[in-house]
Amino acid sequence: MGIIDSIGNLVMKNRIEDLENSINNPHETQQKVLHQLLGSTKDTFYGKKFHFKDIHNYRQFIEQVPINSYEDLYPYIELILKGENNVLWPTPIKWFAKSSGTTGATSKIIPVSTEGLEQCHYQGGRDMLALYIRNYPDAKLFSGKNLSIGGSQEAKHSGNNNHYIANISAIVMKNLPFWAQFGRTPGLEVTMMNNWEEKIEKIAEITSQQKVTSLAGSPMWMLLLLQHIIKEQKITHIQDVWPDLEVFFHGSVSFAPYRPLFEELDRNKSLRYLEIFNATEGFFGLQDQKEDPSLLLMLNYGIYYEFIPEKEFLSENPKVIPLSEVELGKNYSMVISTNSGLWRYKIGDTVKFTSISPYRFTISGRTKHCINVFGEDLFAEHAEKAISKACRETGAILRDFTAAPYFYDRRKKGYHEWLIEFVRSPKNIQAFTEVLDIELGIYNDDYAAKRKNDIAIEKPVVREMPEGTFYEWLKRKNKLGGQHKVPRLSNSREFVEELLSIRRTLQPEI
């Protein structure tokens, strides 16, 4: 091991002690975070409005501070955009992160403070490396560069105030300290390019000549880059370009459907994979164990967590519980208060705890990304597991998918319509559909009950989409790169109809 790796590994190991303290004292850590957040913001506009100075415990916190959607917080965010300071957070807000925006044409604009960057996003990056090195003492990450694909940046002006709006990945990269910039590739000029096609060409050109030891980003966009490099270089495996590549830190979407694709490009399946949960609103979780895909909840990043039980998801005034009251195996919607000024904010992500000592969880989906037209409560977690099993059983390799209900008409009952783009089609599409249907029932009792004897829902319909369908949808929506993705499930047929329209363009005979 070289001297650079030795020094880097030692620095990261020293971080583990602080991390373990928060893991071993979760509730004390969270109470300290809440106390610090309230103390820091008691004199802000929002803090004065809800009397933060009078809040001394959790009971008073939930009594005085309302649960907020984005629409509830937007009037305060708008004040900041107009040049007001000390609104939601005491220090000036210069950066705003665009949400991935899978459910609408207009992305949400989330404030990102200096404290949020340093204490949350950057701390998450440091802990990611520290935990990786703890699990793999032979790691040689620091002898090469980390290749990460960021989103674009655009400047917004409000009066005499300059605000910068970008994907969270681009904001993080733009503000990295010099030593961290030195360890990553490509440079900022390429990272901030707006045109995705030009960007991927440039990234491939630059990085294929460098020593890359790690990758980081969304599986979907990283896969497109790797496939492009392999095609251009006329090679079979990604190690033919980067022989020292050892790990891919991935997030944004479930990795399960993409893993077979990566393994096809990975000689001897030597590449390691670790998941992170770094969302627009904050860095929430890290995979801390080699074989367990569950994510360790990060408790000391300036984020206070609360949770809405599944039966309360659609309630106008939902019951909210603290971390100390969550139970294993139940779905919860996350509510966060952060050091960027988000207060009791419903982010829409749903999680399921696999351990409470320490607190580990899996991402089960989005509260709005589900199908519940027929009372089936089908979430992305069920869909991901079922479709992965169907692929394994029929020899298929998946590229992307989405599903939506087909509603009742005079002739037939409703059903779920699945639009799937394969890298390798199943040997038998009917067999694929059968396995998908059965597995959905195994993972979801409500679905099974509605499907029994076709009582409420007929057998799902699977439509194979031509290559490039989902990419073209993202391109038309100006959502190439960053953390953008196609919604997996929706109660609305909007996305399905748009994709079917693209299908007719790509395959006019259909």
Side-chain angles (χ1 to χ4, degrees), residues 478-506:
N478 196 28
K479 292 179 180 292
L480 292 177
Q483 293 181 308
H484 298 306
K485 57 235 179 213
V486 176
R488 293 306 195 198
L489 305 176
S490 175
N491 271 332
S492 164
R493 288 189 56 82
E494 175 187 356
F495 308 116
V496 163
E497 293 297 340
E498 289 174 347
L499 286 161
L500 288 173
S501 176
I502 293 171
R503 182 195 192 198
R504 289 188 288 271
T505 300
L506 296 176

Side-chain angles (χ1 to χ4, degrees), residues 105 115 126 167 177 182-183 194 244 246 279 288-289 327 381 386 402 424 474 483 492:
E115 293 84 354
R126 289 189 285 267
N167 297 106
F182 178 77
N194 286 316
D244 300 297
E246 60 179 88
D288 68 317
Q289 297 182 307
E327 299 178 44
E381 177 190 27
T402 192
R424 185 169 68 215
L474 288 162
Q483 293 181 308
S492 164

Side-chain angles (χ1 to χ4, degrees), residues 241-408:
V241 176
W242 301 315
D244 300 297
L245 182 64
E246 60 179 88
V247 61
F248 175 31
F249 301 104
H250 59 85
S252 180
V253 297
S254 170
F255 189 57
Y258 295 96
R259 189 173 190 120
L261 295 172
F262 277 86
E263 290 180 345
E264 282 207 338
L265 307 181
D266 174 15
R267 181 186 291 118
N268 300 324
K269 296 182 173 60
S270 60
L271 192 61
R272 298 160 179 164
Y273 304 98
L274 278 92
E275 185 168 4
I276 63 175
F277 187 7
N278 187 18
T280 303
E281 300 86 357
F283 201 122
F284 304 132
L286 285 164
Q287 182 181 343
D288 68 317
Q289 297 182 307
K290 289 183 182 180
E291 305 302 327
D292 184 356
S294 299
L295 304 177
L296 181 70
L297 186 65
M298 311 313 287
L299 302 172
N300 62 339
Y301 286 7
I303 299 174
Y304 185 75
Y305 297 98
E306 298 175 89
F307 301 89
I308 301 174
E310 184 174 352
K311 64 180 180 180
E312 300 278 338
F313 282 177
L314 302 180
S315 174
E316 187 173 340
N317 296 296
K319 174 186 177 182
V320 182
I321 62 174
L323 179 65
S324 59
E325 294 182 19
V326 300
E327 299 178 44
L328 294 178
K330 294 188 175 181
N331 261 325
Y332 296 99
S333 174
M334 290 179 66
V335 176
I336 57 172
S337 298
T338 78
N339 51 7
S340 285
L342 298 178
W343 292 102
R344 304 198 78 198
Y345 177 65
K346 298 184 291 184
I347 66 172
D349 289 289
T350 61
V351 300
K352 184 180 291 185
F353 284 91
T354 60
S355 167
I356 57 174
S357 184
Y359 284 98
R360 293 193 182 97
F361 66 95
T362 58
I363 304 167
S364 52
R366 300 273 299 173
T367 54
K368 293 183 179 179
H369 294 179
C370 66
I371 302 178
N372 194 32
V373 169
F374 312 111
E376 65 273 49
D377 280 330
L378 188 69
F379 283 87
E381 177 190 27
H382 311 135
E384 299 277 7
K385 290 180 178 179
I387 205 166
S388 294
K389 181 64 177 295
C391 285
R392 290 195 301 271
E393 291 287 323
T394 61
I397 295 180
L398 180 75
R399 188 186 301 278
D400 222 327
F401 77 91
T402 192
Y406 185 92
F407 304 106
Y408 297 110

Side-chain angles (χ1 to χ4, degrees), residues 193-210:
M193 290 176 65
N194 286 316
N195 186 300
W196 167 255
E197 278 95 354
E198 290 181 14
K199 179 189 287 191
I200 198 170
E201 290 274 358
K202 199 68 176 176
I203 292 175
E205 176 187 341
I206 293 170
T207 62
S208 60
Q209 305 301 316
Q210 296 177 319

